[in-house]
Amino acid sequence: TQELYASFRGLVNRLRTTAERLGMARREPAGAVQTNGVTDFVTGTAILGDMIVMQYDSNWNYLGTKTLKQKSSAPEGLAFDGKRFYVSYLDMPCESYPCSDNVRLAAFDTNWNLLDDIAVTSYPSQDKMIPNRPSLALWNGRLFVVYDIAENPNATGPEDADLQVYVKVYELTPKP
């Protein structure tokens, strides 16, 4: 248990160092997965920033960073099926907040090249529907994308919002 805690604390410190080096001023939701001895840590550079992947070797040495999507945030859902990475995130097509964001689901190959990117939600800004906190689970050949929506247009904060949780299921079909 002590070794695991020390390893985790080392990772957190290295992530902070990398974030500082990249100029990431705030903490963004993130996901991590380990494949072939490499830890892929997917996060955002800022609320209205870009989605990136930072990679670390098995000793938590920083390997590099790649920008995955511009104007994307909160990549809280991350899964790997052995061939593809899947990321659920918020599309943030604006320059200032608040803005009309929507949940999206992207698929990447093992080198983090974009293969597909689909809309999970597509609310226009006038609907005042605010999807948030997209996460996902991979189970039995299906991706379960979970997110919540604040459905109270008069809410001034999370404590006032009427949050509803939604799940969308996507069947993965193998490519020939």
Side-chain angles (χ1 to χ4, degrees):
T1 305
Q2 293 289 17
E3 289 176 15
L4 180 60
Y5 176 74
S7 178
F8 179 73
R9 194 168 66 195
L11 169 63
V12 169
N13 288 336
R14 289 181 194 226
L15 291 175
R16 280 190 188 130
T17 301
T18 303
E20 289 168 4
R21 186 175 344 144
L22 295 172
M24 296 166 60
R26 53 182 291 124
R27 293 185 178 24
E28 279 293 299
V33 65
Q34 190 173 53
T35 58
N36 299 322
V38 173
T39 298
D40 295 292
F41 185 78
V42 179
T43 189
T45 58
I47 286 286
L48 299 174
D50 300 332
M51 181 170 55
I52 62 172
V53 60
M54 297 184 291
Q55 296 182 310
Y56 296 85
D57 69 14
S58 58
N59 293 316
W60 301 114
N61 294 308
Y62 174 70
L63 299 174
T65 298
K66 181 177 183 177
T67 299
L68 302 177
K69 298 280 298 174
Q70 293 182 330
K71 297 191 180 215
S72 303
S73 181
E76 295 181 51
L78 175 61
F80 182 67
D81 70 358
K83 295 180 182 176
R84 292 175 298 273
F85 292 99
Y86 300 95
V87 181
S88 60
Y89 68 96
L90 292 176
D91 181 40
M92 306 292 283
C94 49
E95 300 298 325
S96 63
Y97 198 78
C99 70
S100 178
D101 53 336
N102 275 290
V103 177
R104 296 193 63 87
L105 175 63
F108 298 88
D109 67 14
T110 56
N111 293 315
W112 288 101
N113 297 305
L114 182 65
L115 299 173
D116 203 2
D117 188 7
I118 62 170
V120 176
T121 64
S122 55
Y123 296 109
S125 58
Q126 63 268 24
D127 281 1
K128 299 196 187 233
M129 302 292 272
I130 306 167
N132 213 341
R133 290 172 283 278
S135 60
L136 66 83
L138 173 63
W139 182 73
N140 204 21
R142 292 182 180 98
L143 282 172
F144 296 81
V145 180
V146 181
Y147 56 95
D148 65 63
I149 294 181
E151 295 184 340
N152 179 356
N154 300 317
T156 57
E159 65 280 356
D160 300 327
D162 180 17
L163 295 178
Q164 301 294 319
V165 176
Y166 296 87
V167 179
K168 289 199 177 173
V169 182
Y170 298 89
E171 187 87 26
L172 297 179
T173 53
K175 301 249 180 186

